Amino acid sequence: MNKVKQTESCIGVTGGEFFDLLRPHEMEFNIEVIANALSNICRYTGHVDRFYSVAEHCVLVSRACPPKYALEGLLHDASEAYVGDVSSPLKRLLPDYRKIEEDVQSALAVAFGLVYPFPEEIHRADKQLYWAERATVAPGADKLWHQDLRASRKVTPAGMSPLMAKRMFLARYKELTNERQGNEPLRGQRAPQAKAA
């Protein structure tokens, strides 16, 4: 249980606990909390034909990237469970946000044993999925982003309900962690704290 004293840099998370955005490496991460939040966050700042969650996107990235990086693919946007999904153009204008997001993602990578910074294969799968999403749930004439990559044929975004996306995310996590660890997945871990200098 995450016993964090509430401060002005904390957000409340599912279950009534707190997460300190300025101390992510001292926080606990619970995969069900992450799945719940990501399943309720809509991609493309809501500019879609139907609800399309970050959780569904993450599952599809995990299927589009090489199997050895599938867990990294699933959790590549896990920081958004704590910092939200900010559009790329806005993110470029907010250096403080980008630093906080990077710190949270780094802490998540330590907690879940991910290869980090993420390998190029993760970024490529993410960008390829962008075009699959543009063709199905977020149509629009885009002449700027990821023009060198096209949609992966391995996955098709559906735009499922938050509940279904959450279930799919958790099932994929269990599948991948069972493959890596040979046992039941972790419900959450505390990242090791840095030693004092």
Side-chain angles (χ1 to χ4, degrees):
M1 181 88 59
N2 209 2
K3 300 294 184 188
V4 177
K5 181 180 176 184
Q6 185 179 12
T7 67
E8 290 184 359
S9 59
C10 286
I11 61 167
V13 299
T14 309
E17 298 173 4
F18 295 101
F19 183 91
D20 192 330
L21 293 166
L22 297 182
R23 298 187 302 140
H25 285 276
E26 298 173 25
M27 300 294 102
E28 292 179 2
F29 294 97
N30 182 305
I31 196 63
E32 292 195 21
V33 168
I34 293 168
N36 186 71
L38 296 183
S39 68
N40 284 301
I41 298 172
C42 189
R43 295 260 301 155
Y44 300 103
T45 60
H47 297 282
V48 289
D49 285 349
R50 55 193 175 274
F51 183 81
Y52 178 62
S53 70
V54 175
E56 182 178 348
H57 165 80
C58 288
V59 170
L60 297 180
V61 170
S62 81
R63 292 179 178 159
C65 64
K68 69 179 178 177
Y69 296 132
L71 187 59
E72 284 78 5
L74 183 68
L75 296 175
H76 81 283
D77 279 339
S79 61
E80 294 180 11
Y82 304 96
V83 301
D85 183 18
V86 174
S87 67
S88 294
L90 180 56
K91 194 180 294 188
R92 289 171 188 259
L93 300 173
L94 301 173
D96 289 343
Y97 169 88
R98 292 172 72 180
K99 166 97 171 68
I100 293 167
E101 179 187 41
E102 171 65 25
D103 288 347
V104 173
Q105 191 62 60
S106 173
L108 281 156
V110 171
F112 288 97
L114 307 177
V115 175
Y116 195 78
F118 292 127
E120 180 56 35
E121 291 89 338
I122 303 300
H123 300 295
R124 177 171 290 277
D126 191 24
K127 291 172 183 176
Q128 287 177 325
L129 189 57
Y130 172 84
W131 287 106
E133 292 165 350
R134 279 295 183 194
T136 54
V137 295
D142 187 329
K143 295 183 166 63
L144 179 62
W145 299 101
H146 317 309
Q147 292 297 312
D148 56 328
L149 297 168
R150 287 298 171 182
S152 168
R153 299 184 197 282
K154 296 180 183 178
V155 296
T156 303
M160 60 184 58
S161 72
L163 179 60
M164 292 304 298
K166 178 181 176 179
R167 288 177 178 168
M168 185 172 71
F169 185 95
L170 289 171
R172 182 68 170 154
Y173 176 79
K174 184 174 183 178
E175 172 191 355
L176 294 173
T177 55
N178 283 346
E179 286 175 8
R180 279 195 181 187
Q181 301 168 1
N183 56 24
E184 286 300 307
L186 300 168
R187 288 187 44 96
Q189 297 183 37
R190 179 177 297 280
Q193 295 185 22
K195 294 180 181 176

